[in-house]
Amino acid sequence: MKKIVSSFLFLFFLILAVQAENYPYRSDVLWVTVPSHADWLYKTGEQASVEVQFYKYGIPQDGVQVDYEIGGDMMPADTRGSVKLKNGKAVIGLGTMKEPGFRDCRLTARIGDKTYRHHVKVGFSPEKLRPYTQMPADFADFWEKNMAELAKTPLKYTKERVEEYCTDRMDCFLVKLQLNNRGQSIYGYLFYPKDAKPDSCPAVLCPPGAGIKTIKDPMRHRYYAENGFIRFEIEIHGLNPTMTAEEFAEVSAAFNGKENGYLTNGLDNRDNYYMKRVYLACVRAIDLLASLPEWDGKNMVVQGGSQGGALALVTAGLDKRVTACVANHPALSDMAGYKAGRAGGYPHFFRKAGMDTPAKLETMAYYDVVNFARLITAPVYMTWGYNDDVCPPTTSYIVYNLLSGPKEALLTPINEHWTSEDTERGHLEWIKKQLK
């Protein structure tokens, strides 16, 4: 595996994603964690330790007590203790692991009436991690039948020019794409290079992260169109991005106010699960891109992060028209991994009562990213951080380890659930190298 370990002291200047930041903007304090191995990786059975540094206003905090809890990735603590900082530093032993995985050291410091928290995860032979989730015997048949049913619905969409997102270098259109004969649709912003000619442009599909939301800041990746790519940025719930706040509030109420509740909708039955239409929507989005006269007919890329990373991998597994895939910290990966006594993938079903049923477990296997990863033949570029508690490193490694085709990984250990602007720009550079 090609590994590039990012510098971890200054990533916070360019943070894009939203869930968690290691060094919050304008914070008075700074945690620095330095594992005894520079790449944060150890062999199973090897003892690990981490030097903890804590600064306030840039001044080492001498004599401050740091309490710690240590446990497996996303698992309860099995070790607790405390250390006193000397010149702002102390060393904590993390122990070892007999089986491949990650250990997480969760830190707490108190100064006056304020409590400051941080954590650091290190890996033990993660390249040997394997999924708990197995592929159902009829997995391929199930999806082939659903895709055949999708193909019976003629490709239908509307396309409306969006002047506010057009520039002298690109054009933008709002698309409403019909998914099936039941009238379900999704929306997306379709970006073209200015004056794109027939058969000239590679295409990139960008599915969204988790949540009930419309498309936000579609111009964030404008540099794709500016570099000659068609880019289709989609949502998955049929929510028109031009709706008012009042309209959105009314529509989102239909999801019972649960931001990610759709991920459990119909989970008792593989045919009725909400994500079936979502996975097939991604294939239908590929249909749209492949129908465009400006598409070059050769290069079809999927790219996303978190749930979007999962959907990128799912689409690459389902649709052989995909020629390259980029996925950041994919969700929906080895979701039943908790049954193996270790971290499972987002949305962490097994942290909720009533989810561990035979019917739900059966359905999960048909929708788990690990089973689509087994089918991918196109080149894949993945990136993930070790400190991620949304899509934990355990599950990203499991997906990566299953990929049998060409693959590369950018490892950014200190990252939680975010990627930097430099990392995002790097996706485009990698994609350019894959063009035929």
Side-chain angles (χ1 to χ4, degrees), residues 185-204:
S185 301
I186 60 170
Y187 289 84
Y189 284 111
L190 186 61
F191 290 90
Y192 291 86
K194 197 74 172 179
D195 301 321
K197 293 180 172 52
D199 305 318
S200 65
C201 300
V204 179

Side-chain angles (χ1 to χ4, degrees), residues 12-265:
F12 62 98
F13 287 116
L14 293 173
I15 290 167
L16 283 180
V18 301
Q19 293 278 355
E21 298 180 3
N22 299 89
Y23 305 118
Y25 179 56
R26 295 185 177 178
S27 175
D28 291 334
V29 304
L30 173 68
W31 292 93
V32 177
T33 48
V34 185
S36 51
H37 282 191
D39 62 0
W40 302 35
L41 296 179
Y42 301 79
K43 300 296 183 185
T44 50
E46 190 175 6
Q47 294 290 322
S49 64
V50 61
E51 182 182 80
V52 175
Q53 303 175 24
F54 184 74
Y55 302 85
K56 187 170 184 180
Y57 310 129
I59 301 169
Q61 295 300 290
D62 190 52
V64 168
Q65 177 174 303
V66 173
D67 299 321
Y68 61 84
E69 296 184 346
I70 305 171
D73 190 10
M74 309 297 290
M75 292 286 108
D78 55 52
T79 302
R80 292 176 172 81
S82 62
V83 292
K84 282 283 184 69
L85 300 181
K86 184 176 182 180
N87 295 322
K89 301 179 182 180
V91 174
I92 298 173
L94 304 180
T96 189
M97 295 183 73
K98 295 180 180 179
E99 300 294 331
F102 279 78
R103 279 183 72 73
D104 186 8
C105 181
R106 302 142 196 161
L107 307 164
T108 304
R110 296 177 180 85
I111 299 180
D113 61 352
K114 289 197 174 181
T115 299
Y116 302 94
R117 302 183 190 278
H118 189 52
H119 76 132
V120 55
K121 297 184 190 181
V122 300
F124 294 83
S125 301
E127 73 281 357
K128 297 180 180 179
L129 279 163
R130 293 297 180 267
Y132 173 87
T133 303
Q134 300 300 306
M135 178 180 280
D138 63 345
F139 180 85
D141 287 343
F142 173 75
W143 284 107
E144 285 171 7
K145 288 176 181 176
N146 278 290
M147 290 178 66
E149 189 65 27
L150 173 70
K152 293 178 183 178
T153 302
L155 177 64
K156 293 182 180 179
Y157 63 93
T158 60
K159 192 170 86 169
E160 179 182 350
R161 184 177 175 85
V162 184
E163 291 295 342
E164 65 179 302
Y165 296 145
C166 294
T167 71
D168 59 347
R169 299 180 63 184
M170 67 183 185
D171 292 312
C172 177
F173 297 85
L174 177 61
V175 170
K176 182 180 181 181
L177 175 63
Q178 183 175 323
L179 302 181
N180 48 47
N181 57 15
R182 298 189 299 279
Q184 294 175 325
S185 301
I186 60 170
Y187 289 84
Y189 284 111
L190 186 61
F191 290 90
Y192 291 86
K194 197 74 172 179
D195 301 321
K197 293 180 172 52
D199 305 318
S200 65
C201 300
V204 179
L205 171 65
C206 183
I212 307 300
K213 58 191 177 185
T214 59
I215 302 168
K216 305 297 183 185
D217 192 17
M219 295 286 277
R220 184 162 65 97
H221 292 109
R222 60 187 294 171
Y223 47 86
Y224 278 82
E226 292 173 347
N227 277 268
F229 288 79
I230 298 169
R231 184 177 177 88
F232 191 28
E233 192 118 7
I234 65 171
E235 58 82 46
I236 59 172
H237 303 297
L239 301 177
N240 189 331
T242 65
M243 68 172 58
T244 65
E246 291 77 14
E247 290 170 331
F248 176 77
E250 182 178 343
V251 172
S252 62
F255 292 90
N256 298 320
K258 296 180 180 179
E259 174 69 7
N260 298 330
Y262 63 92
L263 290 168
T264 62
N265 188 341

